Amino acid sequence: MQIPQQPISIRIPGAGTIRVANDAAGPDAMECVRWDPGTELDEPFAIRDGRVAYLRSITPAARPLIKAAMKKLSPETSRRRFFTVRHELSEAELDRMTNLDGWNQYAIGAVSVGADFALLVVDGWQHQGLGSALLLRLVAIAASRGIERFVGSVLSDNTPMFALIEHHAPLAVRTRGRDFDTVEFTLESHGIRFAA
Protein backbone atom coordinates (compact mmCIF):
# COMPACT_ATOMS: atom_id res chain seq x y z
CA MET A 1 0.00 0.00 0.00
CA GLN A 2 1.36 3.41 -0.96
CA ILE A 3 1.18 6.27 1.57
CA PRO A 4 -0.23 9.47 0.05
CA GLN A 5 2.29 12.29 -0.48
CA GLN A 6 0.01 15.28 0.20
CA PRO A 7 -0.15 16.85 3.68
CA ILE A 8 -2.69 15.39 6.10
CA SER A 9 -4.80 17.66 8.32
CA ILE A 10 -5.46 16.48 11.86
CA ARG A 11 -8.28 18.37 13.61
CA ILE A 12 -7.93 18.74 17.37
CA PRO A 13 -11.16 19.99 19.01
CA GLY A 14 -10.58 23.33 20.71
CA ALA A 15 -7.01 23.54 19.44
CA GLY A 16 -7.24 23.95 15.68
CA THR A 17 -5.77 21.99 12.81
CA ILE A 18 -2.28 20.57 12.53
CA ARG A 19 -1.07 19.82 9.01
CA VAL A 20 1.59 17.16 8.78
CA ALA A 21 3.75 16.13 5.83
CA ASN A 22 3.41 12.46 5.06
CA ASP A 23 6.10 10.63 3.11
CA ALA A 24 6.90 7.10 2.06
CA ALA A 25 8.81 6.41 5.28
CA GLY A 26 5.52 6.01 7.12
CA PRO A 27 3.91 7.65 10.17
CA ASP A 28 7.20 7.90 12.10
CA ALA A 29 8.45 10.38 9.50
CA MET A 30 5.52 12.79 9.92
CA GLU A 31 6.60 16.31 10.60
CA CYS A 32 4.54 19.34 11.61
CA VAL A 33 4.58 21.87 8.78
CA ARG A 34 1.75 24.28 9.63
CA TRP A 35 -0.74 25.06 12.37
CA ASP A 36 -4.04 26.74 11.61
CA PRO A 37 -5.73 28.07 14.78
CA GLY A 38 -9.17 27.31 13.32
CA THR A 39 -11.16 27.42 16.54
CA GLU A 40 -9.40 29.75 18.95
CA LEU A 41 -9.08 28.86 22.59
CA ASP A 42 -11.85 30.92 24.22
CA GLU A 43 -12.06 29.98 27.85
CA PRO A 44 -13.80 32.22 30.42
CA PHE A 45 -11.89 32.79 33.64
CA ALA A 46 -13.37 34.52 36.71
CA ILE A 47 -10.80 36.82 38.26
CA ARG A 48 -10.76 37.57 41.98
CA ASP A 49 -12.73 40.83 41.82
CA GLY A 50 -15.64 39.10 40.05
CA ARG A 51 -14.96 40.24 36.49
CA VAL A 52 -14.60 37.67 33.71
CA ALA A 53 -11.60 37.50 31.42
CA TYR A 54 -11.31 35.27 28.37
CA LEU A 55 -8.16 33.23 27.79
CA ARG A 56 -7.50 33.23 24.06
CA SER A 57 -4.86 31.97 21.68
CA ILE A 58 -2.73 34.84 20.43
CA THR A 59 -3.03 35.27 16.67
CA PRO A 60 -2.23 38.19 14.33
CA ALA A 61 -5.67 39.60 15.25
CA ALA A 62 -4.25 40.36 18.73
CA ARG A 63 -1.65 42.75 17.31
CA PRO A 64 -3.58 46.03 17.95
CA LEU A 65 -4.53 44.86 21.46
CA ILE A 66 -0.91 44.13 22.35
CA LYS A 67 0.19 47.45 20.87
CA ALA A 68 -2.41 49.34 22.95
CA ALA A 69 -1.68 47.33 26.11
CA MET A 70 2.00 48.31 25.95
CA LYS A 71 1.04 51.97 26.42
CA LYS A 72 -0.87 51.12 29.62
CA LEU A 73 1.95 49.31 31.40
CA SER A 74 3.30 50.88 34.55
CA PRO A 75 7.07 51.43 34.48
CA GLU A 76 7.58 48.62 37.02
CA THR A 77 5.45 46.09 35.13
CA SER A 78 7.26 46.99 31.90
CA ARG A 79 10.68 46.63 33.55
CA ARG A 80 9.79 43.25 35.02
CA ARG A 81 8.76 41.88 31.62
CA PHE A 82 11.25 43.59 29.27
CA PHE A 83 14.13 44.26 31.72
CA THR A 84 13.79 47.95 30.94
CA VAL A 85 10.91 50.44 30.72
CA ARG A 86 9.25 50.17 27.30
CA HIS A 87 5.87 51.36 26.10
CA GLU A 88 6.21 50.36 22.44
CA LEU A 89 7.20 47.31 20.42
CA SER A 90 8.76 47.41 16.98
CA GLU A 91 6.83 46.01 14.02
CA ALA A 92 9.25 43.06 13.95
CA GLU A 93 8.63 42.36 17.66
CA LEU A 94 4.87 42.50 17.14
CA ASP A 95 5.26 40.04 14.25
CA ARG A 96 7.24 37.65 16.45
CA MET A 97 4.66 37.90 19.23
CA THR A 98 1.60 37.31 17.05
CA ASN A 99 2.66 35.21 14.04
CA LEU A 100 3.12 31.94 15.88
CA ASP A 101 3.23 28.46 14.40
CA GLY A 102 1.14 27.06 17.26
CA TRP A 103 3.49 24.15 17.77
CA ASN A 104 6.94 25.38 18.76
CA GLN A 105 5.62 28.89 19.39
CA TYR A 106 2.33 29.33 21.20
CA ALA A 107 0.99 32.12 23.38
CA ILE A 108 -2.19 32.81 25.32
CA GLY A 109 -3.58 36.20 26.24
CA ALA A 110 -6.33 37.31 28.59
CA VAL A 111 -8.92 39.84 27.44
CA SER A 112 -12.15 41.27 28.70
CA VAL A 113 -14.93 41.66 26.18
CA GLY A 114 -16.47 45.09 26.15
CA ALA A 115 -17.98 47.61 23.76
CA ASP A 116 -18.54 51.32 23.45
CA PHE A 117 -22.20 52.22 23.13
CA ALA A 118 -23.98 55.28 21.78
CA LEU A 119 -27.64 56.31 21.58
CA LEU A 120 -29.30 59.18 19.73
CA VAL A 121 -33.02 59.93 19.56
CA VAL A 122 -34.05 63.02 17.57
CA ASP A 123 -36.00 65.66 19.47
CA GLY A 124 -39.47 64.93 18.12
CA TRP A 125 -39.20 61.28 19.23
CA GLN A 126 -37.76 61.80 22.71
CA HIS A 127 -39.58 60.78 25.93
CA GLN A 128 -41.47 58.00 24.12
CA GLY A 129 -39.45 54.99 25.32
CA LEU A 130 -37.17 54.76 22.28
CA GLY A 131 -33.99 55.26 24.32
CA SER A 132 -34.90 52.27 26.49
CA ALA A 133 -35.80 50.18 23.44
CA LEU A 134 -32.51 51.01 21.70
CA LEU A 135 -30.40 50.35 24.80
CA LEU A 136 -32.08 47.02 25.54
CA ARG A 137 -31.69 45.82 21.97
CA LEU A 138 -28.02 46.86 21.96
CA VAL A 139 -27.55 44.89 25.17
CA ALA A 140 -29.28 41.80 23.77
CA ILE A 141 -27.27 41.87 20.52
CA ALA A 142 -24.00 42.50 22.36
CA ALA A 143 -24.67 39.68 24.83
CA SER A 144 -25.37 37.26 21.95
CA ARG A 145 -21.92 38.11 20.57
CA GLY A 146 -20.09 37.49 23.83
CA ILE A 147 -19.75 41.14 24.84
CA GLU A 148 -20.02 41.51 28.59
CA ARG A 149 -19.41 45.18 29.29
CA PHE A 150 -20.51 48.55 27.90
CA VAL A 151 -18.53 51.77 28.27
CA GLY A 152 -19.92 55.18 27.30
CA SER A 153 -18.97 58.86 27.56
CA VAL A 154 -21.76 61.14 28.71
CA LEU A 155 -21.77 64.91 29.26
CA SER A 156 -22.06 65.60 32.98
CA ASP A 157 -25.31 67.55 32.53
CA ASN A 158 -27.06 64.90 30.36
CA THR A 159 -29.55 63.93 33.07
CA PRO A 160 -31.90 61.99 30.73
CA MET A 161 -29.08 59.64 29.71
CA PHE A 162 -27.97 59.12 33.31
CA ALA A 163 -31.59 58.40 34.29
CA LEU A 164 -31.87 55.84 31.47
CA ILE A 165 -28.66 54.11 32.53
CA GLU A 166 -29.62 54.16 36.21
CA HIS A 167 -33.01 52.62 35.39
CA HIS A 168 -31.61 49.76 33.31
CA ALA A 169 -28.14 49.36 34.83
CA PRO A 170 -28.38 50.33 38.50
CA LEU A 171 -24.91 48.89 39.18
CA ALA A 172 -23.25 51.11 36.53
CA VAL A 173 -20.02 52.78 37.60
CA ARG A 174 -19.78 56.50 36.82
CA THR A 175 -16.33 58.10 36.71
CA ARG A 176 -16.30 61.88 36.63
CA GLY A 177 -14.03 63.57 34.11
CA ARG A 178 -13.18 67.15 33.21
CA ASP A 179 -15.33 67.42 30.06
CA PHE A 180 -17.53 64.33 30.36
CA ASP A 181 -18.21 61.36 32.61
CA THR A 182 -17.50 57.74 31.75
CA VAL A 183 -20.17 55.15 32.48
CA GLU A 184 -19.38 51.44 32.58
CA PHE A 185 -21.66 48.50 33.25
CA THR A 186 -21.82 44.77 32.72
CA LEU A 187 -24.61 43.18 30.72
CA GLU A 188 -27.65 40.99 31.39
CA SER A 189 -26.11 38.33 33.60
CA HIS A 190 -24.86 41.06 35.96
CA GLY A 191 -27.95 43.08 36.73
CA ILE A 192 -29.29 44.79 33.60
CA ARG A 193 -33.00 45.39 34.02
CA PHE A 194 -34.97 44.49 30.93
CA ALA A 195 -38.12 46.29 32.12
CA ALA A 196 -39.05 49.20 29.84
Side-chain angles (χ1 to χ4, degrees):
M1 176 175 129
Q2 185 160 2
I3 298 172
Q5 298 298 311
Q6 68 270 20
I8 297 170
S9 294
I10 301 171
R11 185 95 178 130
I12 301 174
T17 302
I18 295 172
R19 288 174 57 88
V20 294
N22 194 353
D23 63 20
D28 293 338
M30 287 187 175
E31 158 191 4
C32 176
V33 293
R34 189 169 75 85
W35 182 79
D36 172 15
T39 306
E40 279 187 36
L41 167 73
D42 196 4
E43 177 186 328
F45 178 80
I47 62 175
R48 289 188 182 123
D49 68 5
R51 290 178 294 167
V52 175
Y54 285 84
L55 306 181
R56 291 189 170 165
S57 306
I58 290 182
T59 67
R63 189 184 183 103
L65 294 174
I66 293 171
K67 199 169 184 176
M70 287 294 296
K71 297 182 186 308
K72 297 179 181 178
L73 296 179
S74 69
E76 186 61 13
T77 297
S78 179
R79 188 185 68 79
R80 286 177 178 166
R81 171 58 182 87
F82 298 103
F83 305 105
T84 186
V85 177
R86 298 187 61 193
H87 295 290
E88 245 176 41
L89 295 172
S90 70
E91 295 302 311
E93 289 171 316
L94 284 166
D95 283 341
R96 282 196 304 274
M97 289 180 101
T98 59
N99 289 316
L100 309 172
D101 66 15
W103 190 261
N104 296 308
Q105 304 163 319
Y106 183 79
I108 297 173
V111 295
S112 63
V113 182
D116 290 331
F117 75 100
L119 297 177
L120 174 64
V121 178
V122 295
D123 295 59
W125 291 81
Q126 291 177 8
H127 311 294
Q128 304 300 316
L130 278 175
S132 285
L134 291 169
L135 178 61
L136 296 178
R137 273 148 191 84
L138 277 176
V139 166
I141 290 166
S144 74
R145 295 179 180 179
I147 293 169
E148 295 189 331
R149 183 171 46 94
F150 272 12
V151 179
S153 300
V154 184
L155 287 174
S156 303
D157 62 354
N158 189 346
T159 51
M161 188 62 184
F162 287 118
L164 178 71
I165 292 168
E166 186 177 328
H167 178 73
H168 292 291
L171 302 178
V173 175
R174 180 177 175 181
T175 305
R176 298 198 183 271
R178 193 176 74 171
D179 299 319
F180 55 84
D181 295 353
T182 301
V183 178
E184 183 174 344
F185 57 92
T186 52
L187 303 190
E188 61 179 326
S189 61
H190 297 90
I192 296 297
R193 292 181 183 160
F194 280 89

